[in-house]
């Protein structure tokens, strides 16, 4: 007999409540409070858009009709059958550049967010768990970063290190880690007194192991949601930096710098509008997805049932 | 001394912004011997949970000392708990909060199994622990939410047993459970203490329950122990008016309705504890000497902190004890 | 004389995720004017749902059959206005969690007088006077000052007293108290029990007291109902019910509670747990956990049948039960 319970036990309301609260991954399937993600049309649209961009990025050389860097005499050709999105000042095919731009923006956004999550998460974990002066020092540091507008600080950092892709990513990590540190820290603080953590420590579990096994898995949820929301922001910031000439160096096909190129003469609207639309769709999709994820994982933010 | 757990003059203070310091435990001494169940009873806010946390090392006492097996207990900080203290374990009140929801029962039990046990023996040890608390071995691969409250508390007990403890502090272990699970868990704890010759400090607000299982009962009021005695004697012949009031307040089953005895007033705020005997403002027998702190008088194998027990000052007509 | 509250064959079904769930089956109970009646059972046995039914507080989608008459009014046929009239002056309720029952941002005085001013159309001065009287009646010291206090400034016992005062504001004839002392310490509980008993004696208030603690049942009430899995399994004068139970479940509940004989193992746990709604066995709901069960117990739920003076029991076996009580 493989019965787990030696006695038939009635479903306990407390158990049920704990169940819905604790298994946040299970909430992706809808739980009891709402529809599963794939039943929300907007979230589905976001997923489809992101999936599309991912495919475009992955197979860019196969899909793009032209080499994104190849110049041609047809400068500023308006959208036509040969160049669907037109060409830019150097006669480069904008469709191909937008498609190739996905290979830059999406992976870089992922890199920025994961690095920031890693750094911020680690510092938040340490601050929350150690408390006292370590916490105090780290939190003042986050305040310092929060005190500057993100884009200004990122500009200053990139300008200081020299404008290139690596430094742009670095700068954006530097401006975006504090928010993760804050979120993880507050999650850790709220569970620092939890009995299961005390129980593990009483059994002789060392602090690092307790952090890894007991603290981290129970505090990472909100940070993951935040990271999804921040992906869109990272795409935007990166585009802003390269718009200002502080990102990937030309002639790299980066959406932000493409928008910048077209903004010099808006009568050639297609030069900036198409990369702009690319940014718009990706950012919106990440935001919608992040919202949907948060509604699922964190019922406090859920909109009316 | 053979005492397994020795609590000496322990005080626990909390600091609150704007309210200053509050002494939740104001000087408590208590001993637990191997194979002994000491019941600690008191009403909410009397400091019994603070005392439990200080005794096991989760809170640092602001004064006094806790010794386990002759060795001072170090308050748990950033460092790993010293191996010599791992025989002192705790069972918490709320079985919904004391198990990590994201780890299997087996993994949580293994946290406490000594590192000298290796390989397949570790797995076997988990099976043994589950068996001890009447749970099937298959429970090891399940998660806490798959169990009811009573079952969870049994699993939490199994976890506390993992490092083969000599002393268990059980802080209201059955308060959160239904009547039938209560009886199961209490019987389990008592059986374990008897079988494994452990010491147990059983903390509860339920005097009748403590009466049922404890060898010795200590009664706590507003941060102090007011009376300690072998349980039967305490119940039959309480020597402190608060103990008497507590016993009288337990509703009894009888052939006709009989209202439990009431006690005047409310428990004062520990931040503004009365001077002298802390029970004085509510005590029906308060008299002149009660303005001074009563000494804890030794009365044979028991003790009570009440001037009525001091023949040199007590009025001639001592209320019938 | 007809009883103040007369519930007959009440059955309640709640909507569940997988179809309707029967929660209460064939519940009959009465409360006389000025009587203290106890309702006891484990959590989930339907005792609180009975109270909700009697106050018209069932969730939407619930179906109710049977009858419930209060002072001649058919409760189950009431519309919203009718319910408001009953709640505003006939039946009042106090809950286990007084913190949740009181509004945290309003003074006790405001919460006490609001009802009187709106429903009883009393002017401010008269309402205040009556509120102070009520606070005094529930033995809250310094009632004038308490009027200006907020709930969080009160201890748990005081909050429960204030909640009772508010319940009494409309001069109800029946007070339903749902585990009002469960969250309180014993000495505080003793005060609340004494208060309810005094209110009954002084004002003729009838009280239906819901509890899981048989000690409280015995100490306060004169007649009791034992609930199990949505049914009344035994009823009678509380003293006789608890000193000489005739249903195995009542006896098992008594065995599982501490009663002070001090010998290890005197707590006799009831094996297993109560069935979940909708999963009760076809026969007697207690049969799977019952030490006296016989094959005949599995066919149909036994009806509540007379068993001696003023007593009824829903058991066909009626074994001889050994009960150890103090």
């Amino acid at each position: 007999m493989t019965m787990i319970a030696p006695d038939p036990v009635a479903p306990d309301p407390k158990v049920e409540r704990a169940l819905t609260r604790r298994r946040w991954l299970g909430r992706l399937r809808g739980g009891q409070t709402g529809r599963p993600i794939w039943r929300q049309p907007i979230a589905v649209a976001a997923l489809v858009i992101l999936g599309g961009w991912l495919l475009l990025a992955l197979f860019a050389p196969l899909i793009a009709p032209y080499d994104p860097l190849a110049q041609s005499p047809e400068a500023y050709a308006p959208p036509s059958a040969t160049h669907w999105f037109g060409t830019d000042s150097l006669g480069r095919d904008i469709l191909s550049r937008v498609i190739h731009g996905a290979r830059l923006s999406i992976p870089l956004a992922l890199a920025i967010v994961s690095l920031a999550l890693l750094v911020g998460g680690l510092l938040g974990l340490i601050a929350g768990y150690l408390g006292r002066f370590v916490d105090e020092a780290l939190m003042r540091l986050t305040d310092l970063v929060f005190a500057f507008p993100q884009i200004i600080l990122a500009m200053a950092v990139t300008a200081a290190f020299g404008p290139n892709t690596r430094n742009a990513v670095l700068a954006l990590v530097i401006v975006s880690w504090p928010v993760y540190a804050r979120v993880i820290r507050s999650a850790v603080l709220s569970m620092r007194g939890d009995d299961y953590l005390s129980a593990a420590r009483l059994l002789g579990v060392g602090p690092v192991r307790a952090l890894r096994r007991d603290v981290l898995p129970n505090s990472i949820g909100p940070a993951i949601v935040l990271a999804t929301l921040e992906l869109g922001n990272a795409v935007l910031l990166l585009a802003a930096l390269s718009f200002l000439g502080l990102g990937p160096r030309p002639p790299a096909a980066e959406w932000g710098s493409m928008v910048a190129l077209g903004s010099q003469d808006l009568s050639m609207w297609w030069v900036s509008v198409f990369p702009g639309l690319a940014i718009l769709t990706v950012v919106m999709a990440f935001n919608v997805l992040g919202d949907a994820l948060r509604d699922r994982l964190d019922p406090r933010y859920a909109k009316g049932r | 001394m053979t005492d397994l757990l020795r609590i000496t003059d322990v005080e626990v203070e909390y600091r609150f912004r704007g309210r200053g310091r509050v002494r939740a435990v104001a000087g408590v001494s208590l001993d637990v011997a191997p194979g002994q169940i000491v019941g600690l009873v008191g009403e909410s806010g009397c400091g019994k949970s603070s005392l439990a946390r200080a005794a096991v090392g989760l809170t640092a006492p602001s004064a006094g000392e806790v010794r386990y097996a002759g060795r001072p207990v170090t308050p748990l900080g950033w460092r790993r708990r010293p191996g010599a203290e791992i025989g002192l374990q705790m069972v918490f009140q709320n079985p919904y909060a004391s198990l990590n929801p994201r780890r299997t029962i087996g993994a949580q039990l293994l946290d406490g199994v000594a590192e000298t046990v290796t390989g397949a023996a570790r797995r076997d040890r988990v099976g043994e622990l589950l068996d001890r608390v009447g749970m099937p071995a298959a429970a090891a691969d399940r998660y806490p939410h798959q169990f009811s409250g009573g079952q969870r508390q049994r699993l939490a007990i199994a976890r506390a047993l993992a490092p083969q403890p000599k002393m268990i502090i059980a802080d209201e272990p059955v308060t959160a459970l239904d009547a039938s699970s209560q009886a199961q868990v209490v019987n389990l704890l008592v059986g374990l203490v008897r079988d494994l010759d452990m010491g147990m400090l059983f903390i509860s607000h339920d005097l009748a329950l403590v009466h049922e299982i404890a060898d010795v009962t200590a009664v706590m009021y507003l941060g102090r122990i007011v009376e300690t005695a072998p349980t039967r004697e305490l119940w039959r012949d309480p020597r402190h008016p608060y103990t008497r009031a507590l016993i009288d307040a337990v509703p009894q089953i009888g052939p006709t309705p009989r209202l439990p005895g009431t006690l005047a007033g409310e428990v004062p705020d520990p931040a503004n504890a009365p001077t002298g005997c802390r029970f004085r403002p509510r005590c029906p027998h308060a008299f002149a000497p009660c303005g001074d702190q009563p000494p804890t008088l030794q009365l044979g194998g028991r003790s009570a902190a009440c001037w009525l027990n001091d023949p040199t000052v007590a009025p001639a007509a001592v209320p019938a004890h | 004389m007809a009883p103040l509250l007369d519930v007959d064959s009440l059955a309640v079904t709640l909507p569940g995720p997988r179809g309707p769930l029967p929660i209460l089956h064939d519940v009959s109970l009465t409360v006389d004017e000025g009587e203290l009646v106890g309702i006891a059972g484990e959590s989930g046995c339907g005792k609180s749902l009975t109270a909700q039914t009697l106050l018209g507080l069932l969730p939407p989608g619930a179906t109710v059959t049977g009858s419930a008459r209060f002072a001649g009014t058919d409760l189950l046929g009431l519309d919203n206005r009718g319910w408001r009239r009953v709640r505003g002056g006939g039946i009042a309720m106090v809950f286990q969690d007084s913190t949740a029952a009181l509004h945290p941002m309003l003074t006790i005085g405001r919460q006490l007088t609001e009802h009187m001013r709106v429903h009883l159309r009393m002017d401010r001065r008269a309402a205040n006077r009556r509120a102070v009287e009520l606070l005094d009646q529930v033995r809250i010291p310094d009632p004038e000052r308490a009027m200006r206090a907020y709930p969080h400034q009160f201890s748990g016992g005081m909050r429960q007293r204030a909640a009772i005062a508010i319940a009494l504001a409309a001069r109800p004839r029946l007070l339903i108290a749902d585990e009002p002392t469960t969250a309180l310490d014993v000495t505080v509980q003793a005060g609340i029990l004494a208060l309810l008993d005094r209110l009954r004696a002084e004002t003729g208030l009838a009280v239906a007291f819901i509890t899981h603690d048989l000690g409280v049942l015995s100490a306060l009430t004169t007649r009791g109902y034992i609930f199990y899995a949505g049914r009344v399994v035994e009823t009678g004068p509380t003293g006789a019910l608890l000193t000489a139970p005739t249903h195995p479940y009542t006896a098992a509940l008594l065995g599982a509670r501490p009663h002070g004989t001090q010998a290890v193992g005197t707590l006799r746990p009831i094996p297993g747990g109560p069935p979940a709604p909708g999963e009760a066995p076809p026969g007697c709901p207690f049969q799977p956990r019952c030490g006296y069960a016989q094959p005949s117990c599995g066919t149909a739920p036994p009806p509540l049948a007379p068993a001696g003076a003023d007593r009824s029991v829903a058991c066909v076996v009626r074994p001889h039960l050994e009960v150890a009580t103090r």
Side-chain angles (χ1 to χ4, degrees):
Chain A
M1 197 164 102
T2 53
M3 274 271 294
I4 186 77
D7 39 52
V9 174
D12 185 321
K14 285 183 218 147
V15 175
E16 297 298 318
R17 234 174 294 136
L19 213 141
T20 47
R21 195 175 57 240
R22 294 266 157 76
R23 277 198 311 184
W24 55 269
L25 273 178
R27 292 186 151 267
L28 288 176
R29 296 195 303 271
Q32 295 157 327
T33 48
R35 296 164 298 166
I37 272 184
W38 47 88
R39 291 272 188 78
Q40 301 172 42
I42 300 178
V44 171
L47 270 177
V48 168
I49 289 171
L50 282 178
W53 275 117
L54 231 56
L55 285 177
L56 284 178
L58 218 57
F59 301 108
L62 301 177
I63 298 168
Y66 300 90
D67 177 346
L69 304 179
Q71 305 181 7
S72 79
E74 299 171 78
Y76 291 130
S80 66
T82 44
H83 296 287
W84 289 2
F85 286 5
T87 61
D88 64 8
S89 58
L90 297 171
R92 293 174 295 198
D93 179 54
I94 290 181
L95 173 63
S96 305
R97 285 178 70 75
V98 166
I99 291 173
H100 277 271
R103 305 193 106 184
L104 216 49
S105 289
I106 294 174
L108 286 183
L110 284 172
I112 291 164
V113 166
S114 1
L115 280 174
L117 179 62
L118 194 73
V119 173
L122 206 64
L123 291 178
L125 211 56
I126 291 170
Y129 194 71
L130 285 185
R132 289 194 283 199
F133 64 90
V134 181
D135 184 30
E136 200 62 28
L138 280 169
M139 285 308 110
R140 292 300 77 79
L141 188 62
T142 62
D143 285 345
L144 198 68
V145 177
F146 278 134
F148 292 98
Q150 273 194 315
I151 185 69
I152 305 283
L153 188 58
M155 275 166 61
V157 174
T158 339
F161 290 165
N164 61 38
T165 311
R166 197 196 64 196
N167 289 346
V169 169
L170 217 64
L172 292 180
V173 171
I174 288 174
V175 302
S176 53
W177 68 268
V179 59
Y180 302 102
R182 285 274 180 171
V183 166
I184 295 262
R185 169 186 174 266
S186 67
V188 173
L189 278 187
S190 73
M191 61 167 293
R192 197 164 57 163
D194 276 9
D195 287 347
Y196 62 85
L197 189 59
S198 302
R201 295 301 311 279
L202 287 179
L203 290 177
V205 172
V208 176
R209 209 153 61 116
L211 274 177
R212 202 177 67 232
R213 291 196 184 160
D214 291 313
V215 179
L216 189 61
N218 288 295
S219 52
I220 195 80
I224 298 277
V225 172
L226 187 68
T228 317
L229 283 167
E230 284 283 303
L231 273 171
N233 200 19
V235 171
L236 217 53
L237 280 171
L238 192 68
L241 277 186
S242 45
F243 179 93
L244 297 166
L246 295 170
R249 306 296 297 161
E254 209 289 331
W255 294 339
S257 58
M258 290 163 72
V259 174
L261 203 62
S263 67
Q264 286 152 15
D265 185 350
L266 286 174
S267 65
M268 265 68 86
W269 54 270
W270 57 90
V271 181
S272 27
V273 163
F274 290 113
L277 280 176
I279 296 173
L280 185 76
T281 50
V282 170
V283 171
M284 294 268 292
F286 275 131
N287 277 331
V288 167
L289 206 64
D291 262 343
L293 203 61
R294 178 169 63 186
D295 288 356
R296 276 288 146 267
L297 304 189
D298 198 341
R300 275 173 306 170
Y301 290 102
K303 296 165 198 134
R305 311 251 156 103
Chain B
M1 237 353 239
T2 55
D3 284 325
L4 200 52
L5 184 74
R6 170 149 264 214
I7 298 171
T8 317
D9 298 327
V10 162
E11 295 184 8
V12 179
E13 275 185 353
Y14 295 108
R15 240 166 276 178
F16 292 100
R17 267 179 209 157
R19 265 214 325 164
R21 286 179 298 184
V22 172
R23 247 203 282 173
V25 180
V28 165
S29 300
L30 195 66
D31 299 331
V32 184
Q36 191 185 36
I37 301 177
V38 174
L40 180 64
V41 287
E43 298 185 284
S44 47
C46 75
K48 55 192 193 302
S49 282
S50 299
L51 181 66
R53 294 181 72 83
V56 81
L58 287 175
T59 323
S62 48
E65 189 189 47
V66 181
R67 280 178 172 269
Y68 163 69
R71 201 176 166 282
V73 170
T74 45
L76 192 60
W78 167 244
R79 253 183 272 262
R80 195 179 164 142
R81 202 161 179 239
E85 287 174 26
I86 288 176
L88 173 61
Q89 286 296 328
M90 178 150 172
V91 174
F92 295 84
Q93 171 172 356
N94 183 355
Y96 295 91
S98 67
L99 294 166
N100 186 339
R102 292 183 206 281
R103 295 178 66 206
T104 61
I105 300 298
Q108 298 190 55
L109 294 189
L110 279 174
D111 278 348
V113 175
E115 276 154 20
T116 49
V117 183
T118 52
R122 289 181 78 76
R123 187 81 204 163
D124 292 346
R125 184 90 183 90
V126 169
E128 276 169 39
L129 287 167
L130 290 170
D131 190 50
R132 267 240 93 95
V133 299
M135 297 294 287
D141 300 321
R142 304 288 179 113
Y143 288 88
H145 66 79
Q146 293 170 299
F147 300 94
S148 72
Q151 292 171 330
R152 278 168 176 237
Q153 197 58 295
R154 282 191 270 167
L155 294 168
I157 292 169
R159 179 184 54 191
L161 292 178
Q164 299 180 301
K166 289 263 153 278
M167 172 77 209
I168 287 201
I169 294 175
D171 184 12
E172 302 261 13
V174 298
T175 307
L177 307 179
D178 254 352
S180 48
S181 329
Q182 262 192 14
Q184 285 168 7
V185 170
V186 165
N187 284 354
L188 171 68
L189 278 171
V190 173
L192 287 169
V193 168
R194 303 297 183 222
D195 290 356
L196 306 175
D197 201 34
M198 295 190 295
M200 182 160 79
L201 181 60
F202 186 94
I203 296 167
S204 178
H205 69 284
D206 187 342
L207 192 60
L209 188 63
V210 167
H211 179 216
E212 195 86 10
I213 64 167
D215 303 308
V216 172
T217 300
V219 179
M220 203 165 166
Y221 181 77
L222 208 56
R224 291 222 169 91
I225 288 182
V226 296
E227 184 166 6
T228 313
T231 304
R232 253 184 236 239
E233 278 180 48
L234 183 101
W235 189 273
R236 196 183 54 229
D237 179 24
R239 293 294 183 87
H240 194 286
Y242 178 63
T243 313
R244 157 129 297 167
L246 213 50
I247 292 173
D248 286 348
V250 176
Q252 298 290 347
I253 288 180
T256 50
R258 191 167 60 91
L259 287 169
T262 54
L263 180 58
E266 297 251 318
V267 181
D269 182 353
N272 301 307
T275 55
C277 172
R278 296 184 153 210
F279 187 58
R280 178 176 48 123
R282 305 178 72 188
C283 182
H285 310 300
F287 62 123
C290 300
D292 299 322
Q293 170 61 35
T296 302
L297 295 171
Q298 294 300 323
L299 310 155
R302 53 189 300 189
S303 64
C306 178
W307 286 112
L308 290 173
N309 293 301
D310 186 341
T312 59
V313 296
V318 176
H321 268 314
Chain C
M1 195 183 80
L4 180 65
L5 176 74
D6 190 354
V7 176
D8 190 34
S9 314
L10 183 74
V12 175
T13 303
L14 293 184
R18 285 175 294 271
L21 286 175
I23 310 285
L24 289 182
H25 313 261
D26 194 23
V27 167
S28 300
L29 58 88
T30 60
V31 179
D32 283 334
E33 204 90 46
E35 193 185 20
L36 269 165
V37 170
I39 295 173
E42 290 175 280
S43 52
C45 69
K47 52 194 198 300
S48 293
L49 194 83
T50 308
Q52 286 169 25
T53 312
L54 298 178
L55 281 154
L57 298 174
L58 286 177
T63 49
V64 184
T65 60
S67 81
R69 299 185 75 78
F70 173 76
T73 316
D74 177 15
L75 291 177
L76 302 184
L78 288 178
D79 56 4
N80 279 341
R81 268 187 56 194
W83 273 122
R84 273 204 294 278
R85 224 175 17 248
V86 167
R87 291 182 213 133
I91 308 179
M93 184 152 180
V94 282
F95 300 89
Q96 172 174 347
D97 185 0
S98 57
T99 319
L102 296 174
H103 194 301
M105 310 292 278
L106 300 179
T107 60
I108 297 291
R110 172 87 189 277
Q111 299 187 51
L112 262 167
T113 52
E114 190 157 51
H115 175 88
M116 292 187 258
R117 297 186 60 194
V118 174
H119 293 276
L120 308 181
R121 309 196 182 250
M122 293 168 87
D123 64 31
R124 180 194 293 268
R125 188 168 305 198
N128 277 345
R129 213 169 32 237
R130 169 102 174 102
V132 170
E133 262 173 45
L134 280 166
L135 290 175
D136 193 46
Q137 198 172 19
V138 298
R139 297 278 147 88
I140 286 184
D142 199 352
E144 266 100 14
R145 224 179 91 198
M147 289 280 285
R148 292 189 300 273
Y150 289 91
H152 71 92
Q153 294 169 304
F154 277 8
S155 68
M158 282 298 165
R159 271 200 299 270
Q160 197 57 282
R161 283 171 191 267
I164 293 173
I166 291 170
L168 297 179
R171 299 183 200 274
R173 297 167 73 186
L174 171 66
L175 181 68
I176 299 179
D178 190 358
E179 305 252 12
T181 60
T182 304
L184 304 176
D185 282 317
V186 273
T187 56
V188 182
Q189 166 174 281
I192 300 284
L193 299 184
L195 168 64
L196 290 175
D197 191 59
R198 193 165 51 78
L199 288 171
R200 179 201 55 81
E202 286 175 3
T203 66
L205 180 73
V207 181
F209 195 98
I210 299 173
T211 181
H212 69 280
D213 184 338
L214 298 184
V216 173
L217 191 75
S218 175
L220 182 68
T221 66
T222 46
R223 214 153 49 75
Y225 294 85
I226 308 287
F227 271 58
Y228 184 76
R231 292 171 193 280
V232 175
V233 293
E234 186 167 9
T235 173
T238 314
L241 195 67
L242 298 182
T243 49
T246 52
H247 197 286
Y249 177 63
T250 315
L253 273 183
L254 286 164
R257 73 186 289 280
H259 37 71
T261 45
Q262 219 211 354
V264 170
T266 50
L267 295 182
R268 285 185 306 258
I270 313 173
E279 285 169 24
C284 168
F286 189 58
Q287 181 225 338
R289 306 171 75 188
C290 181
Y292 303 96
Q294 288 176 10
S296 60
C297 296
T299 50
L304 204 57
D310 303 326
R311 299 182 61 173
S312 302
V313 64
C315 178
V316 288
V317 180
R318 307 227 184 149
H320 175 70
L321 297 162
E322 289 285 346
V323 184
T325 43
R326 272 160 58 89

